[in-house]
Amino acid sequence: MTITPEAPTLSIPVDVRFTPAGTPLAVRHDGQIWAVDPALDTAQWYTRDAWWETRRTVPVGIGNVVDIEHWQVQVSSSGSALRTFLLRREPTSTQWLLDAITDAS
């Protein structure tokens, strides 16, 4: 599953387990546990929500409602080939979304 112009993201809900330090440890996707390889670098970054386009409203004092959190991690499951997962969490959600799966290079 790779991002294409016709389908820019997958947006599949997944469960992500984190280490005490706050980095992804494992991802539950499609009935499998995908372990994050600790020997490989992970990448974290933030983008901004286009709130003026979504017209999302939230109560006053709710906190940060514009930063979208992203993680790129290398994962494997039960002897499968290494894959790259691109994860995303919207600013007002606790649910993680799987945006892309590619073969690790």
Side-chain angles (χ1 to χ4, degrees), residues 12-53:
I12 299 169
V14 294
D15 295 321
V16 181
R17 177 165 287 180
F18 288 87
T19 68
T23 59
L25 180 65
V27 178
R28 181 185 298 271
H29 166 61
D30 201 25
Q32 293 182 316
I33 302 293
W34 294 80
V36 175
D37 190 329
L40 299 174
D41 288 332
T42 59
Q44 179 188 31
W45 68 95
Y46 293 86
T47 57
R48 303 290 272 190
D49 183 32
W51 56 268
W52 58 91
E53 292 176 2

Side-chain angles (χ1 to χ4, degrees), residues 37-103:
D37 190 329
L40 299 174
D41 288 332
T42 59
Q44 179 188 31
W45 68 95
Y46 293 86
T47 57
R48 303 290 272 190
D49 183 32
W51 56 268
W52 58 91
E53 292 176 2
T54 61
R55 303 202 187 278
R56 184 183 338 223
T57 60
V58 295
V60 173
I62 196 78
N64 184 343
V65 295
V66 295
D67 287 337
I68 301 169
E69 185 175 5
H70 301 270
W71 280 94
Q72 179 175 307
V73 295
Q74 306 292 311
V75 299
S76 62
S77 177
S78 303
S80 69
L82 199 61
R83 299 269 175 100
T84 301
F85 280 9
L86 182 58
L87 306 169
R88 171 176 51 94
R89 186 179 57 81
E90 295 294 325
T92 58
S93 176
T94 57
Q95 177 65 63
W96 283 91
L97 301 171
L98 178 60
D99 275 351
I101 303 172
T102 55
D103 291 333

